[in-house]
Amino acid sequence: MRILLVMVACLGASACVSTAPLKFTCGDRFARHTSAYPDLPLVAEIHRDARDFDAPDTQPVFFEMEGGAFDDGQPAMFVPTEASLALRDAVESADKATPGDDGESRIERPYGLLFLSGGGQWGAFGAGFLNAWHADKQAFPRITAITAISTGAMQSLFVAAGEYDGLVDAYTITDQSQIARGRGLVGLFRRGSLFDTASLRERIESTLCPPGEGGGRCPMLEAIAAEGSPHLLIGMVEAKSGNLLVTDVTAMVRDHYTQRDGSDRDLAQCVTGVAMASSAVPGQLSPVQIDGTTYVDGGVRSSVFAKLVGGSAMAARVAHKPKIWVIRNGPTIVAPDEGAKGDPALARVDADPSVINVGKRSYSTIVNQNEVNSIALLRQIYPREDMSLATADGYLSLNPQAPRCQRDAGQEDRVFDPGFMACLVEWGRTKYVSPGWITLSPPQPGK
């Protein structure tokens, strides 16, 4: 009751409503390597009359380019930006190292594009799956480019650096406070979020630049900048405009090591800011500001974003089509709201249709729909490509360690549950082996 009284008082008194964002300084490096995500032509048509506000023009400028990787008699629609040109070059470079038609080969593994979705603590599943995939040396491909949103942004730093064991370590915790500290509803209204993620910030920065490293070096950033590493793009939403923005992290890091603009640790805190901005779930995790501008979770707009990367790959002149892999860091259905298995995410709206319970249930449904729609749209954009999907589905029905994944209702105040995350890591490893990837069928006309 006291919490409710505080909420009512705060709603009526602006003095209660304040924020404590995590602040990062990037300067020119962020501005130079961040741009608005290009709309699909159809979306641009839908937005034709959207001129009511003095907003920057984010409509895409496409040009046709024949003879690309996906050429089937139709020209590729290509967005000519610095990031897309770099991605096209990366695809062409990777193709040169694939098996040739004459049987001669420099490497025997495929190459392609990896899309990492959001999902919060469910990212532990993706960490386990990626770790097992990388350990399968005969099957693991050359990842040419990565797009990442939210928890996928955290994962992408490790994948781009080739640190797959470190990826699992990042999702292995003994206490939630290693990532986030609860503020409660009072904190939501007074500090802007239910959880303070200052500890996560420290965790990421120290991973990129380990304390005591000689000369202040940042080995993980050096690995991301290395020639041949996957080209990394991270998405976030600018709160002021509502636009989905894309930061070319690889170009940012490479420019730093070429120009030596500032210290490595300055760069590390900027990259940390980009990853945390992409993961700043509104109301749940600390708001994030980069150079005074507020950003929120990229998943508000899209779970996976493909046009920039896919369009660049389509424009590449290559002999072999790049493959597409998608990891959905979470399930693809909303669990029945029956109070079963002690899942604290369930709201039990029939028994108690309060504004909080109905809100929780609606939020989980909206998030799930956005995730599934983003993947379905990706398949529609690239209907003829070899596309594989991994999801956390089956964590209770197919998982031999399912009892460990049944969350304790007494832990409902946790947004990062150590025991649940440990189970998800193992489920990711197990699921890679069996049942493995889902091969997405081409869309059928009229269906």
Side-chain angles (χ1 to χ4, degrees), residues 313-325:
M314 290 174 70
R317 291 186 172 90
V318 295
H320 309 86
K321 288 185 180 181
K323 299 179 183 296
I324 296 175
W325 294 276

Side-chain angles (χ1 to χ4, degrees), residues 125 129 332 341 391-406 423 426-438:
F125 163 79
F129 194 96
T332 61
K341 302 181 178 67
T391 79
D393 286 333
Y395 72 104
L396 291 177
S397 60
L398 302 177
N399 187 1
Q401 300 186 48
R404 292 180 54 214
C405 282
Q406 294 179 6
C423 182
E426 290 308 312
W427 172 227
R429 287 175 169 146
T430 299
K431 193 170 188 184
Y432 172 75
V433 176
S434 177
W437 292 100
I438 300 169

